[in-house]
Amino acid sequence: MVVAPRLRKATKNVVVTSLWLIGRYRKALREIRQPIILKYHRTSASNGGMMSSSDSFEFERGVSARHLEAQARLIARYRRPIGMDELTDALRSGKSLPEKAVALTFDDGYIDNYEVAFPILRQHMIPATFYVCPGLIDSNRGFWWDEIYSCFRKTEKVAINASELAAHGMIFQNLKEVLPTRTVAERESAAQRVIVMAKRMPAHSIRKFIADLADVLQVSGKPSCSAARLMGWSHIKEMANGGMDIGSHTMTHPMMSQISERELRQEVQDSRKRLQDALGRAINGFVYPSGDYHAMAREVVKEAGHWYACTSESGLVRPTSDPYLLRRVNISDGNMALSCREIVLTYNRHAQDR
Ligand SMILES: [Zn+2]
């Protein structure tokens, strides 16, 4: 009898907080004059929260169809959705930036972008740019971190030992002696720890590392076979012909700080060329994989002929923004209120910047 009023009160608090945040979001969308670039990754057809599915951890950076739909309605109502080319053309030529502009960007090119995001964006006539890795598309492979997730999802081991990894030459500093892998949450946490550490490995050794990891986890079959699917050329071409733009995200998504200058030039130049050849149009945009860049990477991206490049840093677009180090607002949560909060917080944080 005591619990019910408490529960009602807690529910009411959640609802009031969410509505307040959505109200603030609406206000922010209406009042922020500077252009905003929104950054998305995966999209899920599921209308529930992203964390409800059994393979939730693959969707850590995802937005559900219901929330994307709600965001699209607000964006169409309160902002001026434009393409990245139009936005960055103004920036590069010193023209005044289009007021209340918003540009949507989707990194990585997962198949759910085609299946879920494309129909919603088309319905609301919102252009977006999808940054893809042609080297992975051509080799029909997924991302290496999805292969790691796949290994942890499939393993029947209840724990792995740091010494087992070390026996395969995988020595991670600061790794706890035993990583439990019994529950979904434990597998997720173990996979994420291994991924964070693998990001610091030389890019060319990651595939070998995954094969060894599959051995340690006693996973049969190739991990690459069950990694999350990416869009193929037919999907990308259909989107390009349906009002969407395509940008480059390198050939194979290496960490730029972990490859040689020669490899870096190849990754950047080959990706743009392959996309231009496949789509028969200019590819102007680039996104640094995992937001990892340095001064030389910026130069290589510029020299390869791109008009602009996006980082993973948070912020709005200013007349003084470097077109090759553009900031975005990360819309990563399955929760609408949290996505709203991200825009409001970014605005507050950068309201004074000039
Ligand atoms: Zn990426």
Side-chain angles (χ1 to χ4, degrees), residues 144 148 152 160 162 165 170-176 179 189-202 205-206 209 213 255 258:
W144 61 264
I148 291 180
F152 277 94
I160 54 167
L165 297 174
M170 294 179 263
I171 298 169
F172 296 130
Q173 279 163 354
N174 306 324
L175 184 66
K176 278 191 294 186
L179 283 175
S189 156
Q192 282 169 352
R193 292 205 57 176
V194 169
I195 287 168
V196 167
M197 289 182 285
K199 280 187 176 175
R200 291 186 224 122
M201 297 172 66
S205 54
I206 285 191
F209 161 74
L213 181 70
M255 297 293 285
Q258 303 294 343

Side-chain angles (χ1 to χ4, degrees), residues 41 61 107-108 143 145 249 253 287-290:
H41 282 95
R61 294 176 301 172
D107 292 4
D108 297 339
F143 287 107
W145 57 83
H249 200 29
H253 207 283
V287 166
Y288 301 101
S290 304

Side-chain angles (χ1 to χ4, degrees), residues 61-257:
R61 294 176 301 172
V63 171
S64 72
R66 183 159 63 97
H67 293 137
L68 184 61
E69 172 77 43
Q71 287 163 14
R73 275 200 303 271
L74 289 174
I75 285 167
R77 180 158 176 203
Y78 295 119
R79 305 294 298 183
R80 192 180 144 217
I82 61 172
M84 284 296 291
D85 280 4
E86 185 183 345
L87 173 58
T88 51
D89 181 46
L91 196 60
R92 284 160 17 105
S93 58
K95 286 185 233 157
S96 58
L97 294 177
E99 275 202 359
K100 295 194 175 183
V102 65
L104 275 65
T105 63
F106 289 77
D107 292 4
D108 297 339
Y110 283 99
I111 188 74
D112 49 51
N113 286 178
Y114 170 81
E115 292 168 345
V116 179
F118 178 42
I120 294 173
L121 297 169
R122 196 168 39 179
Q123 188 199 333
H124 291 275
M125 293 195 291
I126 296 176
T129 309
F130 296 82
Y131 300 86
V132 301
C133 298
L136 296 178
I137 299 167
D138 284 336
S139 62
N140 206 18
R141 289 199 78 145
F143 287 107
W144 61 264
W145 57 83
D146 286 323
E147 295 183 9
I148 291 180
Y149 278 137
S150 156
C151 288
F152 277 94
R153 186 158 20 89
K154 285 161 72 179
T155 187
E156 291 184 1
K157 292 189 74 168
V158 294
I160 54 167
N161 222 299
S163 58
E164 290 177 87
L165 297 174
H168 280 77
M170 294 179 263
I171 298 169
F172 296 130
Q173 279 163 354
N174 306 324
L175 184 66
K176 278 191 294 186
E177 187 52 31
V178 175
L179 283 175
T181 50
R182 194 186 297 269
T183 66
V184 170
E186 285 171 351
R187 287 157 188 247
E188 173 179 357
S189 156
Q192 282 169 352
R193 292 205 57 176
V194 169
I195 287 168
V196 167
M197 289 182 285
K199 280 187 176 175
R200 291 186 224 122
M201 297 172 66
H204 61 262
S205 54
I206 285 191
R207 298 288 180 186
K208 161 87 170 69
F209 161 74
I210 293 171
D212 289 345
L213 181 70
D215 281 348
V216 169
L217 290 168
Q218 296 169 2
V219 172
S220 57
K222 285 187 179 166
S224 56
C225 299
S226 50
R229 272 179 66 212
L230 304 181
M231 292 188 283
W233 289 115
S234 63
H235 309 113
I236 292 170
K237 282 177 187 166
E238 191 184 328
M239 294 208 304
N241 293 329
M244 302 294 143
D245 199 9
I246 306 300
S248 166
H249 200 29
T250 70
M251 287 298 271
T252 63
H253 207 283
M255 297 293 285
M256 295 201 139
S257 55

Side-chain angles (χ1 to χ4, degrees), residues 330-349:
N330 190 30
I331 304 296
S332 62
D333 298 287
N335 181 316
M336 183 68 181
L338 289 176
S339 296
C340 302
R341 189 183 65 169
E342 195 55 41
I343 291 195
V344 174
L345 287 181
T346 304
Y347 176 54
N348 290 346
R349 213 177 299 132

Side-chain angles (χ1 to χ4, degrees), residues 38-56:
L38 300 179
K39 168 165 83 100
Y40 293 87
H41 282 95
R42 299 195 66 176
T43 43
S44 160
S46 151
N47 275 341
M50 304 299 289
M51 302 311 285
S52 61
S53 89
S54 59
D55 50 9
S56 63

